[in-house]
Amino acid sequence: MPTHDPHAPRWHVRAPRGWLNDPNGIGWWDGRWHVMYQWNPHAPVWGDIHWGHASSPDLLRWDHEPTALTPRPGTLDAGGAWSGVAVHDGGDVALVYSAVATAGDTGTAGVAVARRGPDGRWVQPERWAAPHPDVPGVVDVRDPFLLEVEGRRLGLQGAGTPFGGAVLVYDATDLDDWRLLGTLVVADDVPAGVDAPGRVWECPQLVHVDGRWVLLVSWFDRTVEPERLGVTAYTGRLDLDGDAPRFVVEASTPLDHGPDLYAPQALVADDGRVLVWGWCWESRDGSRTAEEVAAVGWAGLLSCPRELAVTRDGRVVTRPAAELAGLRGEPLDVARGDLVTDEPAWRVEASGGVELALVDGDDVVTVWATDGPAEVLVDGSLVEAFDPTRGSTTRRVYRRAGQRWRVRAAGDAQAHVLRVPSA
C-alpha cells in the first residue's frame, strides 16, 4: 500500500494514484472548470495511458471525476489515448486526442474525436478524424490542438523532421474529418539568431495574447547525452494568405527557466485571459528514486493555473492565476525580510529580491533567487517562482528530514499559508 508522502501537494491537481503526465482536455463547461491529464492508473510509471479527469468550481477545490478516455484493445487507441484538447462543438463538448493503435509505434498515431453519450461519459470513436499523415520527411506526428481564426477552425499537430521540429496545420471545419493543408511552421523557418531547439515539437498551442500571436512548443532532442528538452514560446504573426496558414516567427522565449515543467496546455478563457497548466514530473536529477516513487504510489502533478502574458519587450511570461488569492490562509511573519518555516504549502510575495533556500543548521542549499520583485508558491515538493520580467522557474524539491524552508525577501513582503477553502 502507498505510504504517507510529505512531498505530496495539498492543492495542486494530481492523480489519485499512478502516473500523471501531460495536461489535456482543459475547459469550462457545465458550470465547472475541467482539467484532464495523461494517466496510468495501474502504476507510477509511464505507459497504459488513459485520460484522468478533475473538475473545480473555482480553480481552488478539485474533485476527481470518472476516467475520461481508456485504451481499447483491438481499436485505433489500443496503444493509448494520448495528448489532446477539449473543444465545444455542436452545443456540447468533444475530446480530440492522439489515438495510438500500437503501443510504442508513433507511426500508428492519428487524431480521434470522442463525444459525450446520454450518460455524460465520452464515447470513443471507431475511425480517425485524421489518420497519421504520409508527408515525406515528417515523423512523430501527434498532439492535436484546435483554434478558430476569422470564423475558420484550424487543427494543429506537432511533428519532427530530420532538420528539427515542425507544426502541421489542417482544416478542421468538420471535426470528424480533418483535411491536411501543409506546415504551419518548421524549424528551418525560424530566423537566424532566434532559438529553434529540439528534433520534435510536441503539444503545439497557438493563442492570441496581449495583441500578439504566441506559439508554444514542447521539444526534445535524444541525439545528445543527456537528453535535452524544454518549452519554447514563439511570438510572431499569423499569415492567412495562400492555401495554408503560416506562422511567421519573430522572437522566442523559454516559457520556463526550471527543469521540471513540460507539455503545457493553453486555454482562452471566457474573460479573455489565456490560462496555462503544465506537467511537473518527478525530478530528473535522481533526487527522488524509483523505489521512493513506487513506495508512495504516485508520480507527477500539474502546475498551478497560470496566466500567459507578453511583456513590453516581447518576452512571454506566466504569473499565478488571480483565483489563487483564494488559497491564502493565516499570515507568516516575514516582516523583517526573513522567514524560516516547516509549512508544507505557502506563498511569499516581495517588491524586492527573494532568495529561497533549504537550511539544516549551518547547511544551506539555495533553491532559487532573484534581485527584483517576485512571488514564490510552494506546495509539498513543487516550487513555482515568478519573476515578472524574466518569467517563471519550476522545480521539484524534496525536502529531507531536518531541512526547513528559508526565505530572505527585500522591500515590502508578505507571506501566507496556502489552504484549500471549505466549500
Side-chain angles (χ1 to χ4, degrees), residues 105-264:
D105 184 357
T106 57
T108 66
V111 176
V113 179
R115 300 182 183 277
R116 288 203 286 186
D119 62 357
R121 294 175 180 261
W122 278 271
V123 178
Q124 293 165 234
E126 300 303 323
R127 60 177 291 272
W128 280 300
H132 195 280
D134 184 14
V135 180
V138 174
V139 297
D140 289 324
V141 180
R142 55 179 173 267
D143 307 337
F145 177 80
L146 289 151
L147 72 156
E148 289 196 13
V149 183
E150 297 184 0
R152 182 184 189 187
R153 184 161 59 196
L154 301 176
L156 308 181
Q157 289 204 85
T161 75
F163 310 104
V167 177
L168 303 186
V169 60
Y170 297 75
D171 184 317
T173 303
D174 183 344
L175 195 61
D176 298 298
D177 189 11
W178 292 27
R179 180 169 61 89
L180 180 64
L181 300 176
T183 53
L184 182 79
V185 63
V186 298
D188 276 355
D189 294 335
V190 176
V194 176
D195 287 340
R199 306 294 292 182
V200 176
W201 287 353
E202 299 187 299
C203 303
Q205 313 281 300
L206 180 60
V207 289
H208 205 238
V209 184
D210 297 336
R212 304 285 297 276
W213 282 104
V214 175
L215 175 67
L216 306 179
V217 295
S218 299
W219 54 268
F220 65 85
D221 186 353
R222 295 191 176 120
T223 66
V224 296
E225 182 64 38
E227 175 187 40
R228 296 179 63 240
L229 39 77
V231 182
T232 296
Y234 292 105
T235 51
R237 58 184 178 85
L238 191 58
D239 182 357
L240 299 176
D241 296 331
D243 296 332
R246 299 285 290 175
F247 181 74
V248 181
V249 172
E250 295 172 347
S252 67
T253 309
L255 184 68
D256 192 270
H257 297 278
D260 297 325
L261 184 127
Y262 194 74

Side-chain angles (χ1 to χ4, degrees), residues 11 13 33 48 60 67 74 78 132 135 166 233 236 247 298 373 386 408 418:
W11 54 272
V13 175
W33 296 97
D48 192 21
L60 307 176
T67 304
H132 195 280
V135 180
F247 181 74
W298 70 278
F386 298 89
R408 288 182 170 165
L418 295 181

Side-chain angles (χ1 to χ4, degrees), residues 22-388:
D22 304 7
N24 296 149
I26 295 174
W28 171 269
W29 61 85
D30 297 342
R32 294 178 70 86
W33 296 97
H34 295 262
V35 172
M36 303 180 192
Y37 47 83
Q38 292 187 12
W39 181 38
N40 179 359
H42 305 301
V45 295
W46 179 87
D48 192 21
I49 295 299
H50 300 54
W51 273 27
H53 183 185
S55 73
S56 170
D58 53 13
L59 296 182
L60 307 176
R61 295 167 288 144
W62 292 94
D63 299 311
H64 295 297
E65 300 282 354
T67 304
L69 301 176
T70 302
R72 299 167 296 159
T75 73
L76 53 78
D77 54 28
W82 298 85
S83 285
V85 296
V87 60
H88 290 274
D89 185 69
D92 203 356
V93 177
L95 304 182
V96 183
Y97 64 103
S98 282
V100 177
T102 304
D105 184 357
T106 57
T108 66
V111 176
V113 179
R115 300 182 183 277
R116 288 203 286 186
D119 62 357
R121 294 175 180 261
W122 278 271
V123 178
Q124 293 165 234
E126 300 303 323
R127 60 177 291 272
W128 280 300
H132 195 280
D134 184 14
V135 180
V138 174
V139 297
D140 289 324
V141 180
R142 55 179 173 267
D143 307 337
F145 177 80
L146 289 151
L147 72 156
E148 289 196 13
V149 183
E150 297 184 0
R152 182 184 189 187
R153 184 161 59 196
L154 301 176
L156 308 181
Q157 289 204 85
T161 75
F163 310 104
V167 177
L168 303 186
V169 60
Y170 297 75
D171 184 317
T173 303
D174 183 344
L175 195 61
D176 298 298
D177 189 11
W178 292 27
R179 180 169 61 89
L180 180 64
L181 300 176
T183 53
L184 182 79
V185 63
V186 298
D188 276 355
D189 294 335
V190 176
V194 176
D195 287 340
R199 306 294 292 182
V200 176
W201 287 353
E202 299 187 299
C203 303
Q205 313 281 300
L206 180 60
V207 289
H208 205 238
V209 184
D210 297 336
R212 304 285 297 276
W213 282 104
V214 175
L215 175 67
L216 306 179
V217 295
S218 299
W219 54 268
F220 65 85
D221 186 353
R222 295 191 176 120
T223 66
V224 296
E225 182 64 38
E227 175 187 40
R228 296 179 63 240
L229 39 77
V231 182
T232 296
Y234 292 105
T235 51
R237 58 184 178 85
L238 191 58
D239 182 357
L240 299 176
D241 296 331
D243 296 332
R246 299 285 290 175
F247 181 74
V248 181
V249 172
E250 295 172 347
S252 67
T253 309
L255 184 68
D256 192 270
H257 297 278
D260 297 325
L261 184 127
Y262 194 74
Q265 183 161 120
L267 169 72
V268 181
D270 289 344
D271 61 8
R273 289 180 300 165
V274 177
L275 299 179
V276 176
W277 282 258
W279 167 32
C280 304
W281 44 42
E282 300 306 307
S283 180
R284 298 163 64 86
D285 64 6
S287 56
R288 190 170 216 196
T289 67
E291 291 76 18
E292 289 173 315
V293 170
V296 296
W298 70 278
L301 71 159
L302 298 186
S303 74
C304 72
R306 306 176 181 187
E307 298 174 8
L308 199 66
V310 180
T311 65
R312 290 182 179 178
D313 63 357
R315 296 183 63 81
V316 179
V317 298
T318 63
R319 56 185 176 239
E323 288 85 346
L324 298 185
L327 293 169
R328 287 176 180 155
E330 58 268 29
L332 298 170
D333 185 9
V334 71
R336 296 178 180 84
D338 210 344
L339 168 68
V340 177
T341 182
D342 286 319
E343 287 289 341
W346 51 276
R347 179 177 187 167
V348 63
E349 301 164 75
S351 63
V354 173
E355 178 192 79
L356 175 67
L358 289 173
V359 297
D360 182 3
D362 293 331
D363 183 40
V364 178
V365 179
T366 300
V367 173
W368 182 80
T370 186
D371 293 332
E375 54 188 310
V376 178
L377 285 72
V378 173
D379 188 13
S381 56
L382 183 61
V383 174
E384 296 170 280
F386 298 89
D387 178 322

